[in-house]
Amino acid sequence: MIPRLARWLPILDWGRHYDRATFGSDLLAAVIVTIMLIPQSLAYALLAGLPPEAGLYASILPILLYTLLGSSRVLAVGPVAVVSLMTAATIGQVAEAGTAGYATAALTLAFLSGAILLAMGALRLGFLANFLSHPVVAGFISASGILIAASQIGTLTGLKAEGHGLPHQLASLAGQVGQVNLPTLLIGAASLGFLFWVRRGLKPLLRRAGLGPRLADMVTKAGPVFAILATSLAVWSLDLGAQGVAVVGAVPQSLPPFTLPSFDLALLQDLILPAALIALIGFVESVSVGQTLAAKRRQRIDPDQELVALGAANLGASVTGGFPVTGGFARSVVNFDAGAQTPAAGAFTALGLALAALYLTPFIAFLPKATLAATIVVAVLSLVDLSILKRAFTYSRADFAAVAATMAVTLLAGVEAGVSAGVLLSLLLHLLRTARPHVAEVGLVPGTEHFRNIHRFDVETDPAILTLRVDESLYFANTRHLEDLILARVPGDGALRHVILMCSAVNEIDLSALETLESLDERLRDMGVTLHLSEVKGPVMDRLRRTDFLTHLSGRVFVSQFEGWCKLTGRCTAGDPQRHARPIAPVPATP
Amino acid sequence: MIPRLARWLPILDWGRHYDRATFGSDLLAAVIVTIMLIPQSLAYALLAGLPPEAGLYASILPILLYTLLGSSRVLAVGPVAVVSLMTAATIGQVAEAGTAGYATAALTLAFLSGAILLAMGALRLGFLANFLSHPVVAGFISASGILIAASQIGTLTGLKAEGHGLPHQLASLAGQVGQVNLPTLLIGAASLGFLFWVRRGLKPLLRRAGLGPRLADMVTKAGPVFAILATSLAVWSLDLGAQGVAVVGAVPQSLPPFTLPSFDLALLQDLILPAALIALIGFVESVSVGQTLAAKRRQRIDPDQELVALGAANLGASVTGGFPVTGGFARSVVNFDAGAQTPAAGAFTALGLALAALYLTPFIAFLPKATLAATIVVAVLSLVDLSILKRAFTYSRADFAAVAATMAVTLLAGVEAGVSAGVLLSLLLHLLRTARPHVAEVGLVPGTEHFRNIHRFDVETDPAILTLRVDESLYFANTRHLEDLILARVPGDGALRHVILMCSAVNEIDLSALETLESLDERLRDMGVTLHLSEVKGPVMDRLRRTDFLTHLSGRVFVSQFEGWCKLTGRCTAGDPQRHARPIAPVPATP
C-alpha cells in the first residue's frame, strides 16, 4: 500500500527517513537558495512584464506543492528565464503591460499550463517531451538567452524598444541612442560589470584570502544582493529617481494574495496553444535538469510524476498571484551544490521567501530596474552555448538544419514560432529520411556466418543470389520507393534466380508494405526469380502469420541469412537453426 | 541526346516505332473509350456542379497534352469521380453553383492544381505521394464512393439535399420524401436498374447469343448510351420536362472555348490548399492506375514525369473551359482492355470527343439529369470496397485506425478533412510506434553464429553479458525511453560485466541519441559495466567516426555480434571478421 501511494506522494518515501543531519543540510541549502532567489524572482517578474512581487509569490506555494509531489530530490521550482520570456510574449498579445488584465492573463496562463501538465500526467504522456530533440532544445535555449539579454538593453539604458522581432527592436533602440538616460546607464553598466566580476573573479580572490570553499561560494552567490543594496542606496541618497532612473517603487508588504484566473472563453482560446507550448518547454527544461542532477546521486526521477508535480505547482501559482513556473537550472544546481538532501529544502526556501515578502519589500522601493536587468543579463548569457551549432554541423545535416532553424526563427519571429519550427522540421526530416531508406547489397564475410555490404567489405557473393538488406522498417512512406529500388537492381538476365530480403533492420511491415511485398513477389515470379525473406523479427513474423502472405510467397523465410545462403548455394551447411531455434514459449500476441 | 529528350517528351520514344498495326489497335480502343466517355464526362461535370459540356471540354486538350508528355502508354486522363466531388466541395465554399463565378473558380482550381503538380514535378517530389498509405487511400476512395452515390439521391428523385455532411443531407432528403417527383424517380430507377443489369447480366447473355467476346464487351460498354437515348426519347415524346423532370437543356455546339482562370488574390488564397490536396489525391489515383496497368505489360512509368504530364493536363483544362482532371481508373482499364498500344489512342479519343462537342450536343437537350445521376451511381459503387476494413483490422491496429478514421471523417466532415485526418493519423501512429521501440534480449542459437530473442528461441546466454537488440533507429523521439529501458534491465548485482547493444536494426543514430549513448556509457561505467556495440551499419559508423564517441566508449565496436560474444566469453573463436571484413573501397561520405 505504502509503495503504491508513495509513487503519487513521494514525500511518504523520503519523509520516513528524515533526521536531524538531513534537516541541517536542507536548512543551509535553503538559506543559500533564498538569498539567490530574492533578486532573481523580482527580475523574472520584471521580464514577464509583471510587478516584482509576483516573482516572490510565484515561488512560494509552487515550491511547497512540488515538495509534496515532485519525484526529484533537489529540483527548485519557480519563475525561470525562458518561461518568463514566453509568458511576456504571449500575454503581450492579449493585454497591455501594467494593467489588471495583464496580471489576470498571467494567472490564466499559469492555470492552463498547470491543467495541461496534470492532464498529460494523468494520461502518462511524459514521453511526448521526447519529440523535442536535444539540438532543438539547445538551440531554443541559446536563442532565448540572446533574446532575453537583448530585451534588457532598454531597461539598462532607460530607452524603450519598439516593434516585433530582434532586428526591429535593436533598430529602434539604435534610433533613440541620443536619448539614453545617463544615470540609468551608469547604474546598469556598473551592476553588469560588478556581477560579471563576481562570477569570474571574486571566488578565486576569496579563496586566496583564506576563505573555505563553501563560504566563498556563499559570498559569491550573494553578489546580486550586494548590487541591489549598493544601487538602491545610491538612488536613495542621490535622489536619482528625480533624474529619470526607473525604480521598482512601492511594493505591498504581504503574503501571496488569493487570486483567481479568468474563465473568459475568448481569453482561454487565445491562451490555450501558448499554454501548451509553455507547459511542454517548461517540462522539458525541468526534466532535463532533474535527470542530470538525479544521475549524479544515482537517483531516478519519474517523468509522469514530474508532470503531475509541475502541473500542481502551476495551478498553485495561478491562485496566489503568480505566473507560469517550472524547475529552473540555476536554482536547482545551487540547491544541489549547497547540499540539499530532500525536497524539504524547498519548503524552507518557500518559508524564507514568504518572510522576504512580509518584511523585506519596503526596502526595495528604491531598487533601480536597471540592476535587476543586469542580473537577468548575467544569468541568461550563461545559457547561450553556440557550440551546439558546430557539433551538429559536423555530425549531420538534419540535426544542423533543426538547430539552425530553431535559432533563426526564434531570433527573428519569436519563441513560439522558433520551437514549433524546430520540432516540425526535425520530425519532417526524420520522415523524409525513412522515406528513402538505405539499401545495401550484402555478401558473406569469409570464415564467418556474417553478411555485410559488398561495397564496404571483401565478401563472397553468388551470381544466382541477390541479397538486399533494407535498412528501414517497411511502411507506407517508403514502400513504393523500395519496390522501384529492388526492381531496378534485378536485371532481366538469366543468372539471377533468388532475391533474399534480409530483414534484420525491418522493425515493422505495415499493410501498405505487405501489399507491396505481394506485388513484388508476383512481378519477380514473372521474371523467373524467387523472393525469400531472412531474419524476420518475432513481432513482424507474428503479424505476417495472421495473413496468407506466407502461403503465397514464392520462396521461403529463413531464420538466419546464413541458413538461406547455405540452402540456396549448397556450398555450406548451417547448424540447423530451424531445429534449434524452436520457439520455447507460446508466441505472445503483438497487435 | 534523343534518350535525354525522350525522358521529357516520351512521344519521341514510342512515336518512332509507330506503324499501321499499332494505329489499328489504337483507333479501335479510341472508339470504345469515346463511346464510354461521352455520358461519363457529362455526368462528372454535373457532379462537379458545372454545365455538362464542361465535362467534354475537360477531356479534350488535357488528353492531348497527356499524350505528348505522359509516361504511361494507356492512362486515360479526364474528369474522375473523386476529383469532381472534391471540386464541387471546394468551389461550393466560394461561389454559388450555376453562376459564372462558379465556373471561373473551377478553372482557377484546375490552374492551381496544374501549377502545383508541375512544380512538384520540377522539384522531383513524386515521392511525397507515398505519405498517403494504401489503407488511407482505399478508405478515402470507398468513403468518397458512398458520398458520391448519396449525393445523387436528390437528382434521382427530384429533391434537393440540404446541409453539410452525409447525415444532415440524408435527414433533409428523408424530410422531403412526400415531394418526390414521380416521373424523375421512374426515370432514375429504370436507368439504375438497366445499368446494373448491363454490368451483371448483359454480357453473359450476349455471349450465349453467339457474339464474340470483344463485340459483347463493346455492346456492354455502350450501355449508358442506350440509357441516354431511351430516356431522352421518353422525355421528348411524353413532354416530361413539363412534369418537373430536370433535363440538361440547351448545350452550346462548339469546340472547347478559350478561357482564363481568375487571378484574384483572395480567391487564389482560398483555393490553394484544396488545390494542393486535389493535386495530391489525383496524382496518387493516377499513378496507382498507371503502375498497375504498366506492370501487366512489363512497362514502367516515371512518377516525376507523371507529375509534369498531369500538371500540363490541368493547365490545359483551365484554359479550355474545364475543371480539375486526372488519370481515371475505369477509363484507363477500358482503354487497356480495348487494346490501346500507345498514347495515340488518347489523341484519337480527344478527336472523337471534339466531334461529339461539335455535332452531338443538340441531341442531349432532352437528356434527363436523373439518367446521368444513375450512370454516376453505377460507376462509383464499384469503387466502394469495405473489405479493406476487415483486412486492416486483422493485420494491425494502426492500419485499422488510419482507414477507419479516414472513412469516418470523410463521411461525416467531407473529403478534405477525411484525407487530411488519415494522413496525419498514420504519420502520428508511425512516430508513436518508433518512439517506443521493441527491445529484445538475445542469445546465441546453438550450432550457429546467429542471435535471437531469449523469450522466443532456445538460446545460449552468459550471466556476465547482456545483449540487447534495439529494433529501431536511435533518434530523438525514442532516445530517452531507450535509456530508461536499458538502465532498468541492468541490475546492480555483481555478475553482469558487459552490455552489448546489437545495432543490426539501427539505421540512424542522431545527435540526441549520440548524447544519450555517451551518458549511458558513463552511467554504466559507474556501475562497473562496459558498454559495447555490435553490427553497426556502414552509414551509421561513418557518422560516429566523425565524433570522439568511439575514443571515449568504455567498450568496443564488434563487426559481428558473434565476434563480440566469442571475445567476451572466450568460449569460441570467430573467423576473424575484423581481418576479412576490411573495407575494400574508400568509405563514401554519407552526410
Side-chain angles (χ1 to χ4, degrees):
Chain A
M1 186 62 201
I2 291 288
R4 182 93 198 260
L5 196 57
R7 189 196 155 91
W8 298 101
L9 273 177
I11 193 175
L12 295 179
D13 188 16
W14 57 262
R16 282 184 299 158
H17 312 291
Y18 208 74
D19 60 17
R20 202 189 164 102
T22 322
F23 172 75
S25 303
D26 283 351
L27 191 62
L28 180 66
V31 170
I32 298 176
V33 172
T34 305
I35 290 173
M36 173 203 173
L37 279 194
I38 293 173
Q40 210 179 75
S41 302
L42 301 173
Y44 288 154
L46 194 81
L47 176 57
L50 290 162
E53 66 271 21
L56 293 175
Y57 300 162
S59 301
I60 298 174
L61 185 58
I63 291 185
L64 287 175
L65 288 168
Y66 186 85
T67 299
L68 286 177
L69 297 166
S71 68
S72 162
R73 296 275 172 110
V74 294
L75 196 73
V77 168
V80 306
V82 171
V83 168
S84 299
L85 175 73
M86 293 176 82
T87 300
T90 303
I91 305 185
Q93 308 273 322
V94 299
E96 196 68 36
T99 63
Y102 193 93
T104 306
L107 299 174
T108 311
L109 195 61
F111 172 79
L112 285 173
S113 296
I116 290 167
L117 288 165
L118 275 179
M120 285 175 65
L123 298 170
R124 312 194 69 65
L125 296 181
F127 70 93
L128 278 186
N130 300 344
F131 286 99
L132 287 165
S133 74
H134 294 200
V136 167
V137 172
F140 175 69
I141 300 250
S142 287
S144 301
I146 295 172
L147 271 190
I148 294 170
S151 75
Q152 300 306 308
I153 297 176
T155 316
L156 285 168
T157 53
L159 301 178
K160 198 163 161 49
E162 308 276 343
H164 188 67
L166 190 57
H168 285 119
Q169 296 191 342
L170 291 180
S172 95
L173 287 174
Q176 307 167 46
V177 80
Q179 304 153 43
V180 165
N181 182 281
L182 266 184
T184 304
L185 181 61
L186 279 176
I187 291 176
S191 304
L192 260 186
F194 173 72
L195 291 172
F196 273 119
W197 172 75
V198 165
R199 285 221 159 199
R200 301 277 160 87
L202 181 60
K203 203 169 159 186
L205 204 72
L206 292 174
R207 292 302 307 279
R208 278 201 296 278
L211 263 71
R214 175 155 282 189
L215 192 60
D217 218 42
M218 271 186 69
V219 174
T220 312
K221 290 282 161 8
V225 175
F226 296 140
I228 283 177
L229 289 177
T231 54
S232 297
L233 205 66
V235 168
W236 174 73
S237 57
L238 303 174
D239 193 18
L240 294 178
Q243 297 187 38
V245 173
V247 294
V248 166
V251 169
Q253 203 174 349
S254 88
L255 285 176
F258 176 68
T259 54
L260 273 181
S262 159
F263 293 102
D264 177 56
L265 206 63
L267 183 66
L268 292 176
Q269 278 183 346
D270 282 347
L271 297 182
I272 185 81
L273 273 184
L277 209 55
I278 288 177
L280 202 62
I281 293 280
F283 174 61
V284 170
E285 183 173 352
S286 185
V287 164
S288 310
V289 178
Q291 276 176 337
T292 308
L293 297 180
K296 291 196 184 176
R297 290 203 189 142
R298 303 282 188 86
Q299 294 162 349
R300 310 280 310 257
I301 69 169
D302 171 358
D304 290 318
Q305 180 61 23
E306 286 299 286
L307 281 169
V308 173
L310 291 175
N314 274 289
L315 291 186
S318 78
V319 295
T320 55
F323 55 99
V325 296
T326 193
F329 182 72
R331 63 183 63 193
S332 302
V333 170
V334 169
N335 197 29
F336 180 88
D337 287 345
Q341 295 298 319
T342 75
F348 305 147
T349 305
L351 192 68
L353 290 171
L355 292 174
L358 273 179
Y359 301 111
L360 294 185
T361 39
F363 300 98
I364 61 174
F366 290 100
L367 169 57
K369 288 186 175 177
T371 310
L372 290 179
T375 66
I376 293 178
V377 169
V378 174
V380 298
L381 282 185
S382 68
L383 299 178
V384 179
D385 173 14
L386 299 180
S387 71
I388 181 69
L389 274 171
K390 181 160 173 286
R391 191 165 153 83
F393 184 78
T394 325
Y395 191 63
S396 89
R397 275 192 216 165
D399 282 309
F400 179 72
V403 63
T406 307
M407 292 192 71
V409 177
T410 302
L411 289 177
L412 297 177
V415 282
E416 292 176 9
V419 74
S420 310
V423 170
L424 289 180
L425 187 65
S426 43
L427 287 178
L428 199 69
L429 289 173
H430 174 73
L431 286 173
L432 288 180
R433 201 192 54 72
T434 62
R436 305 197 134 175
H438 179 247
V439 174
E441 182 177 345
V442 297
L444 180 66
V445 178
T448 74
E449 300 182 3
H450 190 61
F451 287 76
R452 292 306 283 252
N453 193 335
I454 60 165
H455 296 298
R456 287 174 181 265
F457 295 91
D458 191 6
V459 291
E460 277 177 41
T461 56
D462 186 301
I465 302 174
L466 172 72
T467 303
L468 295 174
R469 189 192 71 204
V470 182
D471 287 355
E472 197 57 60
S473 290
L474 308 182
Y475 79 113
F476 60 89
N478 59 28
T479 172
R480 230 183 281 258
H481 174 72
L482 205 72
E483 186 180 11
D484 286 350
L485 205 142
I486 292 174
L487 287 174
R489 296 215 194 177
V490 175
D493 68 31
L496 188 69
R497 283 286 164 267
H498 303 279
V499 169
I500 311 181
L501 281 190
M502 182 173 167
C503 297
S504 47
V506 173
N507 306 310
E508 186 196 12
I509 294 180
D510 79 352
L511 192 53
S512 303
L514 178 69
E515 290 175 2
T516 302
L517 283 182
E518 286 170 344
S519 89
L520 185 66
D521 183 34
E522 249 173 57
R523 291 172 73 171
L524 289 176
R525 196 194 309 241
D526 286 350
M527 297 161 85
V529 174
T530 311
L531 178 69
H532 308 268
L533 306 180
S534 74
E535 312 212 352
V536 180
K537 287 163 197 236
V540 176
M541 200 66 189
D542 288 347
R543 192 162 284 172
L544 290 181
R545 284 210 189 89
R546 273 186 260 155
T547 69
D548 56 4
F549 173 71
L550 297 174
T551 54
H552 291 160
L553 182 68
S554 61
R556 296 180 44 191
V557 179
F558 300 109
V559 168
S560 78
Q561 171 63 27
F562 186 64
E563 184 211 357
W565 172 261
C566 292
K567 290 253 167 74
L568 296 178
T569 60
R571 280 193 224 147
C572 48
T573 323
D576 188 355
Q578 299 282 19
R579 186 168 54 78
H580 292 284
R582 64 184 184 277
I584 56 166
V587 176
T590 320
Chain B
M1 187 61 202
I2 291 288
R4 182 93 197 262
L5 197 58
R7 189 195 154 90
W8 298 102
L9 273 177
I11 192 173
L12 296 180
D13 187 17
W14 58 262
R16 281 184 299 159
H17 312 291
Y18 208 75
D19 60 16
R20 202 188 165 100
T22 323
F23 173 75
S25 303
D26 284 349
L27 191 62
L28 179 65
V31 170
I32 297 176
V33 172
T34 305
I35 291 173
M36 172 203 173
L37 279 194
I38 293 174
Q40 210 179 76
S41 302
L42 301 173
Y44 289 153
L46 193 80
L47 174 58
L50 291 162
E53 66 271 21
L56 293 175
Y57 299 162
S59 303
I60 298 172
L61 185 58
I63 291 185
L64 286 176
L65 288 168
Y66 186 86
T67 299
L68 286 178
L69 297 166
S71 68
S72 162
R73 296 275 171 110
V74 293
L75 195 73
V77 168
V80 307
V82 171
V83 168
S84 299
L85 175 72
M86 293 177 81
T87 300
T90 302
I91 304 184
Q93 308 273 324
V94 299
E96 196 69 35
T99 63
Y102 192 94
T104 307
L107 298 175
T108 311
L109 195 62
F111 173 78
L112 285 173
S113 297
I116 291 167
L117 288 165
L118 274 180
M120 285 174 66
L123 298 170
R124 311 194 70 66
L125 295 180
F127 70 94
L128 278 186
N130 299 345
F131 286 99
L132 287 165
S133 75
H134 294 199
V136 166
V137 172
F140 174 71
I141 300 246
S142 287
S144 300
I146 296 172
L147 270 190
I148 295 169
S151 74
Q152 301 306 309
I153 296 176
T155 316
L156 285 167
T157 53
L159 301 179
K160 197 164 162 49
E162 307 276 343
H164 189 68
L166 190 57
H168 284 118
Q169 296 191 343
L170 292 181
S172 95
L173 288 175
Q176 308 167 44
V177 80
Q179 303 154 42
V180 165
N181 182 281
L182 267 184
T184 304
L185 181 61
L186 278 175
I187 290 175
S191 303
L192 260 185
F194 173 73
L195 291 172
F196 273 119
W197 172 76
V198 165
R199 283 220 160 199
R200 301 277 160 88
L202 181 59
K203 201 168 160 187
L205 203 72
L206 292 173
R207 293 301 308 280
R208 278 200 297 278
L211 264 70
R214 175 154 281 189
L215 192 59
D217 217 43
M218 270 187 69
V219 174
T220 311
K221 291 283 165 358
V225 175
F226 297 139
I228 283 176
L229 289 177
T231 54
S232 297
L233 207 65
V235 167
W236 175 72
S237 58
L238 304 174
D239 194 19
L240 294 179
Q243 298 185 39
V245 173
V247 295
V248 166
V251 169
Q253 201 173 351
S254 87
L255 285 176
F258 175 68
T259 54
L260 274 180
S262 159
F263 294 101
D264 176 56
L265 206 64
L267 183 66
L268 292 176
Q269 278 183 345
D270 283 346
L271 296 182
I272 185 82
L273 273 184
L277 209 55
I278 287 176
L280 202 62
I281 293 278
F283 174 60
V284 170
E285 183 173 351
S286 185
V287 164
S288 311
V289 179
Q291 277 176 335
T292 308
L293 297 180
K296 291 195 186 181
R297 289 200 190 143
R298 303 283 186 88
Q299 294 162 348
R300 309 279 313 256
I301 68 168
D302 171 358
D304 290 319
Q305 180 61 23
E306 286 299 285
L307 281 169
V308 173
L310 291 175
N314 274 288
L315 291 187
S318 78
V319 295
T320 54
F323 55 100
V325 295
T326 194
F329 182 72
R331 64 184 61 192
S332 302
V333 171
V334 169
N335 198 28
F336 181 89
D337 287 346
Q341 295 298 320
T342 75
F348 305 147
T349 305
L351 192 68
L353 290 171
L355 291 175
L358 273 179
Y359 302 111
L360 294 185
T361 39
F363 301 97
I364 62 174
F366 291 100
L367 168 58
K369 288 185 173 176
T371 309
L372 290 179
T375 67
I376 294 178
V377 170
V378 174
V380 297
L381 282 185
S382 68
L383 299 178
V384 179
D385 173 13
L386 299 181
S387 71
I388 181 69
L389 274 170
K390 182 162 172 286
R391 190 166 153 83
F393 185 78
T394 325
Y395 191 63
S396 90
R397 277 194 215 162
D399 283 310
F400 178 72
V403 62
T406 307
M407 291 190 73
V409 177
T410 303
L411 290 177
L412 297 176
V415 282
E416 292 176 9
V419 74
S420 310
V423 171
L424 289 180
L425 188 65
S426 43
L427 287 178
L428 199 68
L429 289 173
H430 174 73
L431 286 173
L432 287 180
R433 200 191 55 72
T434 62
R436 305 196 133 176
H438 180 247
V439 174
E441 184 178 346
V442 297
L444 180 66
V445 178
T448 74
E449 301 181 4
H450 190 60
F451 287 76
R452 292 307 282 254
N453 193 334
I454 60 164
H455 297 299
R456 287 174 180 265
F457 294 92
D458 191 6
V459 291
E460 278 176 40
T461 56
D462 185 302
I465 301 174
L466 172 71
T467 303
L468 295 174
R469 189 192 71 204
V470 182
D471 285 355
E472 196 58 60
S473 289
L474 308 182
Y475 80 112
F476 60 90
N478 60 27
T479 173
R480 231 184 279 260
H481 174 70
L482 206 72
E483 186 180 12
D484 287 352
L485 205 142
I486 292 173
L487 287 174
R489 297 216 192 175
V490 176
D493 67 32
L496 190 70
R497 285 284 164 269
H498 303 280
V499 169
I500 310 180
L501 282 189
M502 182 173 166
C503 297
S504 47
V506 173
N507 305 310
E508 186 196 13
I509 294 181
D510 79 353
L511 193 53
S512 302
L514 178 69
E515 290 175 3
T516 302
L517 283 181
E518 286 169 344
S519 91
L520 185 66
D521 183 33
E522 250 173 58
R523 291 172 73 170
L524 288 177
R525 195 195 310 242
D526 287 348
M527 298 162 85
V529 174
T530 311
L531 178 69
H532 309 268
L533 305 180
S534 74
E535 313 212 351
V536 180
K537 286 163 198 238
V540 176
M541 200 65 190
D542 287 347
R543 192 162 285 172
L544 290 181
R545 283 209 189 90
R546 272 186 260 155
T547 69
D548 55 4
F549 173 71
L550 297 174
T551 55
H552 290 161
L553 183 67
S554 60
R556 297 180 44 191
V557 179
F558 300 109
V559 168
S560 78
Q561 171 62 27
F562 186 65
E563 183 210 359
W565 171 262
C566 291
K567 290 253 164 74
L568 297 178
T569 60
R571 279 194 225 146
C572 48
T573 322
D576 188 356
Q578 298 285 19
R579 187 170 53 79
H580 291 285
R582 63 183 186 277
I584 55 167
V587 176
T590 321

